Amino acid sequence: MLNWSSLNKAEQTKALSRPAISDNKGLRKTVANIIDKIDKQGDNALFELTSLFDKVKLSSLQLTDNAVVKATQRLSDKRKLAIQTAYGQIERFHIAQKTTDIVVETMPGVKCTLKTEAIDSVGLYIPAGSAPLPSTVLMLGVPAKLAGCNRVVLVCPPNKQGEIADEIIYAAKLCQISEIYTIGGAQAIAALALGTETIKPVNKVFGPGNRFVTEAKKQLSQLVPGFAIDMPAGPSELLVIADDSATPAFVAADLLSQAEHGPDSQVILVTNSADVAINVQTELDLQVELLSRKDIAKQALNESRLIVCDDIKEAVKVSNLYGPEHLSIQTEQPQQLMTKIRSAGSIFVGDYSPESAGDYASGTNHVLPTYGYSKVISSLSLADFSRRYTVQELTKQGLQSLAETIIELTDAEGLDAHQRAVTIRLEK
Ligand code: NAD
């Protein structure tokens, strides 16, 4: 528990530092070696690294149609219905994000168009190291399908039996994804970027993952020309702003819901009340013991903070400084605070908007920027699966109208050839 105003600048910076990026150099080297291995040895390296990191010997990399049928049969109707309901919710919110072409005649005879077209091939990374995440399949697969991407490839690390969870396979089927590979970690991202004997490369890769996955996305987007990534979506983060009106049991439950993701998740409470901080701590101690993943949650809590501020204005300042992936506002007038928030991937407003709702089924996307990138990077949306490009078409009259402007500016820049491309037409 920290008292914000009693900390000096360095202590404040340390209080808001992310745990996952403390060993950057070692991580960079490990991931660079994995990428190099995939580049040189392709499929063989995928088999070897899966055996090393996932402790399983795969007989093939690609999931068979038969496995999809079996997974669908094994799942209960209740579970399938839940996946279908979440699918519908996410589809409703993302279908509304569709845009139409923008056509503007900027002057008579000069027509400019902004067009949107689906990215041809995309790779979806579904994390499964510590927990399989079918919800992530929907968060990536639904917009990929709505955007109309030609080829959608899914990769997911295998469990100890060398399999992918039935729920992940079923969610992929709903999204009409048929190319699925049982690989994970940095090696899966490298395969999608570089290609191997079995896996053709994709244009852009999406999805959250642990630090190896996130680092691989970062390195490969710089290494492979034309290969893009969605965003640095690393270990989960939640910051809760709470005042006296908050229910400490709710706040603690929310903090634990993110702490259980992984040991490198980070959860932070910022409050204007020492009592709230103490009561939340008591609730955390009680509730963590009830969790099946309590060991993981406890490790994450070690890197977490309860920060007491002088007032709620300062609490908002701390939140904006941190730029959380998820921000929950549990105060008397949450709407009022909303207008002061400058950086957060997704905001959960009021006592009855638990972060779990956005993780699964409210309809918003749960793939969100971490590491403070919420200050500049947006949460995932339909637009990320498309590329925008512009078109211009000028008539002779349109070019005549613009000629003087272009000629003057080419003079200013000393670019004769640019100028000639205009005058040669007007002289004809
Ligand atoms: P994961 O699928 O991201 O990673 C598992 C893979 O990591 C394994 O297959 C293995 O190949 C690789 N790996 C493990 N140990 C390694 C090592 N020592 N060296 C090299 N590679 C190694 O699954 P995960 O570990 O459960 O992580 C999922 C992460 O995704 C969590 O941190 C969670 O918080 C985060 N997440 C983020 C968002 C978001 O939107 N930001 C959403 C959901 C989940």
Side-chain angles (χ1 to χ4, degrees):
M1 199 181 300
L2 302 167
N3 193 314
W4 187 254
S5 56
S6 70
L7 304 177
N8 64 32
K9 203 122 190 108
E11 288 165 338
Q12 289 181 349
T13 306
K14 189 162 175 268
L16 297 184
S17 67
R18 266 84 176 167
I21 44 179
S22 44
D23 176 30
N24 244 346
K25 224 168 142 196
L27 177 66
R28 272 203 298 269
K29 205 163 159 224
T30 304
V31 170
N33 289 339
I34 293 174
I35 292 172
D36 188 52
K37 210 170 161 60
I38 298 294
D39 191 28
K40 292 193 175 119
Q41 298 167 29
D43 282 354
N44 280 342
L46 282 175
F47 283 112
E48 190 188 319
L49 293 172
T50 304
S51 158
L52 180 68
F53 296 129
D54 302 294
K55 314 280 177 243
V56 64
K57 286 214 177 318
L58 297 176
S59 50
S60 80
L61 298 172
Q62 189 163 6
L63 200 78
T64 61
D65 291 347
N66 194 28
V68 179
V69 174
K70 280 193 173 153
T72 308
Q73 285 167 349
R74 274 193 299 257
L75 274 183
S76 70
D77 287 346
K78 199 170 161 215
R79 186 133 319 168
K80 280 191 266 200
L81 181 65
I83 297 173
Q84 285 164 19
T85 305
Y87 178 99
Q89 288 286 95
I90 297 160
E91 185 178 54
R92 262 188 289 286
F93 187 58
H94 287 75
I95 217 165
Q97 297 168 20
K98 281 198 171 185
T99 53
T100 49
D101 290 351
I102 297 170
V103 187
V104 179
E105 198 168 25
T106 54
M107 69 166 52
V110 182
K111 189 172 86 178
C112 297
T113 310
L114 180 68
K115 281 182 155 301
T116 304
E117 199 177 86
I119 294 172
D120 189 58
S121 58
V122 294
L124 315 182
Y125 186 88
I126 308 303
S130 74
L133 299 178
S135 52
T136 303
V137 180
L138 300 177
M139 297 295 171
L140 303 177
V142 170
K145 181 172 162 233
L146 289 174
C149 299
N150 228 348
R151 178 171 162 246
V152 183
V153 185
L154 187 151
V155 292
C156 177
N159 60 20
K160 297 279 174 287
Q161 289 72 46
E163 290 162 354
I164 296 180
D166 291 347
E167 289 84 352
I168 288 184
I169 297 175
Y170 182 68
K173 190 179 137 177
L174 284 185
C175 299
Q176 293 170 6
I177 300 167
S178 52
E179 195 178 336
I180 301 176
Y181 299 100
T182 320
I183 50 171
Q187 59 274 21
I189 305 295
L192 288 172
L194 302 166
T196 68
E197 298 89 323
T198 305
I199 305 173
K200 273 201 304 183
V202 298
N203 302 128
K204 185 173 180 180
V205 80
F206 294 80
N210 62 15
R211 57 211 180 97
F212 301 102
V213 171
T214 313
E215 177 64 24
K217 283 167 70 179
K218 212 162 84 185
Q219 287 191 22
L220 284 155
S221 64
Q222 286 163 8
L223 210 70
V224 184
F227 173 72
I229 59 168
D230 52 351
M231 66 177 83
S236 288
E237 304 162 355
L238 168 67
L239 186 145
V240 180
I241 300 177
D243 65 10
D244 275 334
S245 72
T247 306
F250 291 3
V251 174
D254 289 342
L255 294 172
L256 289 170
S257 76
Q258 287 314 288
E260 76 170 354
H261 258 306
D264 47 10
S265 301
Q266 193 175 49
V267 294
I268 298 179
L269 168 70
V270 191
T271 175
N272 58 350
S273 155
D275 283 348
V276 169
I278 291 164
N279 293 338
V280 169
Q281 178 69 68
T282 308
E283 278 294 334
L284 281 172
D285 294 342
L286 279 173
Q287 291 186 31
V288 74
E289 295 301 333
L290 308 173
L291 302 176
S292 59
R293 291 164 66 90
K294 68 176 168 192
D295 292 343
I296 293 175
K298 280 181 181 173
Q299 286 179 63
L301 288 178
N302 283 340
E303 287 296 337
S304 298
R305 328 249 182 267
L306 305 176
I307 299 175
V308 181
C309 295
D310 290 343
D311 52 36
I312 213 74
K313 220 168 122 192
E314 191 176 56
V316 170
K317 218 172 95 189
V318 172
S319 175
N320 282 338
L321 259 177
Y322 182 68
E325 178 197 13
H326 306 97
L327 168 64
S328 166
I329 309 179
Q330 300 182 42
T331 59
E332 204 166 350
Q333 291 176 309
Q335 290 287 355
Q336 252 183 24
L337 287 199
M338 274 279 299
T339 59
K340 308 277 187 286
I341 301 300
R342 292 289 163 268
S343 53
S346 196
I347 306 179
F348 299 78
V349 184
D351 290 350
Y352 287 89
S353 308
E355 206 239 275
S356 314
D359 272 351
Y360 291 101
S362 64
T364 61
N365 208 292
H366 81 196
V367 179
L368 303 161
T370 57
Y371 300 134
Y373 282 106
S374 67
K375 291 175 181 136
V376 285
I377 295 177
S378 317
S379 67
L380 200 75
S381 72
L382 193 62
D384 296 290
F385 291 81
S386 312
R387 60 186 191 90
R388 275 169 302 162
Y389 65 99
T390 54
V391 180
Q392 52 255 280
E393 191 175 356
L394 284 73
T395 61
K396 189 170 180 189
Q397 184 212 355
L399 184 61
Q400 273 165 345
S401 309
L402 263 188
E404 215 179 298
T405 304
I406 300 172
I407 290 167
E408 192 57 34
L409 290 173
T410 54
D411 267 347
E413 294 188 355
L415 296 178
D416 302 346
H418 279 69
Q419 189 171 110
R420 190 80 195 118
V422 174
T423 53
I424 199 168
R425 288 178 163 84
L426 299 181
E427 283 158 11
K428 183 155 183 283

